[in-house]
Amino acid sequence: PYDGTVVNQPSMSPDGTRYMWWYPGPDPFGGFNAVWVNRLTVGQPETDGVSFCHGCTTSHGWIGGNQSIAAFPGDAVARNAPSTVCTLASVEEAPDAKGSCVQQLVTDTRGGIGFPNGNAAGTELVAVLTPGELTGVYGRIVRYSLATGAAIGDVTQGTTDTAPVFSPEGDRIAFQRDEQIVVKDLAGGAEQVIGPGVYPSWGGARSLPIGSGRLTDRLV
């Protein structure tokens, strides 16, 4: 039974019914070089293992009310394999799925994708793109269309941006830049630095994004 342990990137679904996090774990070769993503549904005593990535880094997010998604790095240079964002599911939910990627949502051949997050309407994703690299941890913020699976455009041109999240209305994006929380207006393009913090989230309609550390203390 689940003992309450959470390691990295704890994340709550928009509807508040599920939680995800990742942790380093054992790989098929007896080492400790895999990244596992676990999901807990409120009221259930057991966690679901929804993603496994051996020898690579993956990061998770949400789309819709509680659909789990994750970004998987590709190797476009050596193997012509793009980075992807996919839906996740437990073995019971998708018994015929081969691997962690249940349904491919978007692809990008320019580099690594990380920290995907969907808008409330279920039409777009934002994620970090690190051009020329295999892992999307820091880079620029990019919007992707779920209808086409392709990039719509770059939201930022930075090299240290990460962890983007759509506002509930879908017209703004909060993200982390150099341990500062920044909000970007998608229509006008204006950016506002809110204050220090990491891993921003939103607390209801037309609220300020909440980050960790001193920013959380000041806003809550």
Side-chain angles (χ1 to χ4, degrees), residues 62-64 117-126 146 166-170:
W62 304 96
I63 188 168
N117 176 262
N119 63 357
T123 59
E124 294 183 18
L125 287 176
V126 285
L146 288 175
F166 271 106
S167 67
E169 300 81 12

Side-chain angles (χ1 to χ4, degrees), residues 68-165:
S68 308
I69 59 175
F72 297 94
D75 189 348
V77 176
R79 298 185 291 117
N80 196 32
S83 294
T84 62
V85 177
C86 302
T87 61
L88 306 178
S90 67
V91 174
E92 292 74 19
E93 292 169 330
D96 297 327
K98 294 179 174 58
S100 298
C101 181
V102 176
Q103 179 185 0
Q104 183 174 290
L105 299 176
V106 304
T107 63
D108 203 319
T109 61
R110 295 178 293 172
I113 303 177
F115 297 100
N117 176 262
N119 63 357
T123 59
E124 294 183 18
L125 287 176
V126 285
V128 182
L129 171 70
T130 310
E133 300 290 339
L134 300 184
T135 302
V137 178
Y138 296 100
R140 67 185 67 170
I141 307 301
V142 180
R143 293 169 73 181
Y144 295 90
S145 167
L146 288 175
T148 65
I152 298 173
D154 295 345
V155 177
T156 70
Q157 296 295 325
T159 59
T160 60
D161 301 341
T162 191
V165 285

